[in-house]
Amino acid sequence: MAATNSTPKVNKHHPDLTGEHFYGDLLQLIFFLVFLAIWIADSFFMHFSDISTLLPLWLRLVAGSIVLIVSGYVANTGLKIVFGTPHTEPKVIDYGVFKWVRHPIYMSAIGLYLGLLLIKISIAASIVWVFAIILYYGLSRFEEKLLLERFGDDYALYMTSVPMLLPFIRRGK
């Protein structure tokens, strides 16, 4: 059977994982490369929508660095929990950074974009960032359907108690 855009990709090294969108990694890479190209071009060469001068450099560097450090920590911690060691009995991961958000790795990717935008503010790159957020939301919803199929009520309960992408914003399903 040929893979379609809705066929989940299963990790052969970690059979305890539920899966992800077949094109998820490719879409994330494309969005990040487009963002990076626009952000670099606008911020350092063309300045067609660079509005960085609205805030002092020190403030942008401090704020951007904090967001980048937190995002890196959350991504690293989430990846270690998911891929560090296979879980002997598949279950809903609801500890560590997963007790704060259901998709901490996606949240970290969104934070990476934001950290760079705080350092050099580009309206054009911000537009790509908004579309990247929509992409991550869609990928999260797709994966949650798989998780609901696999874990049923356990995952449904987790969804009602832990926000999807932003800590402290509880919307449930």
Side-chain angles (χ1 to χ4, degrees):
M1 182 169 110
T4 66
N5 64 354
S6 63
T7 303
K9 182 170 54 173
V10 179
N11 188 312
K12 64 183 175 189
H13 301 291
H14 287 272
D16 56 315
L17 299 179
T18 300
E20 58 187 10
H21 194 280
F22 187 78
Y23 294 112
D25 293 339
L26 178 62
L27 289 169
Q28 290 177 68
L29 178 62
I30 290 169
F31 265 85
F32 186 67
L33 292 176
V34 168
F35 169 85
L36 209 53
I38 291 171
W39 181 76
I40 290 170
D42 191 21
S43 299
F44 301 104
F45 302 109
M46 300 173 141
H47 305 287
F48 51 89
S49 70
D50 181 0
I51 56 170
S52 298
T53 56
L54 296 175
L55 295 172
L57 176 61
W58 69 268
L59 180 61
R60 290 184 284 122
L61 287 175
V62 169
S65 297
I66 290 170
V67 171
L68 289 171
I69 290 167
V70 169
S71 294
Y73 172 78
V74 171
N76 186 49
T77 304
L79 289 167
K80 280 183 181 177
I81 290 171
V82 173
F83 297 108
T85 54
H87 303 90
T88 55
E89 185 177 319
K91 67 178 190 121
V92 175
I93 298 174
D94 59 357
Y95 58 90
V97 291
F98 289 88
K99 71 181 174 186
W100 299 104
V101 290
R102 298 192 306 262
H103 301 278
I105 299 163
Y106 290 166
M107 181 195 78
S108 296
I110 292 168
L112 170 68
Y113 287 80
L114 178 60
L116 293 173
L117 283 170
L118 287 170
I119 292 170
K120 286 294 273 182
I121 306 166
S122 163
I123 294 171
S126 297
I127 292 168
V128 176
W129 177 60
V130 169
F131 283 104
I133 292 170
I134 294 167
L135 168 70
Y136 283 111
Y137 177 79
L139 291 173
S140 298
R141 295 295 292 174
F142 178 84
E143 290 176 13
E144 290 192 335
K145 288 178 186 173
L146 299 176
L147 292 162
L148 280 167
E149 287 174 15
R150 184 165 190 186
F151 297 112
D153 291 340
D154 288 343
Y155 196 78
L157 179 63
Y158 176 65
M159 289 175 73
T160 62
S161 61
V162 176
M164 180 187 275
L165 289 168
L166 297 173
F168 313 113
I169 298 180
R170 299 189 191 284
R171 227 183 121 227
K173 294 181 186 182

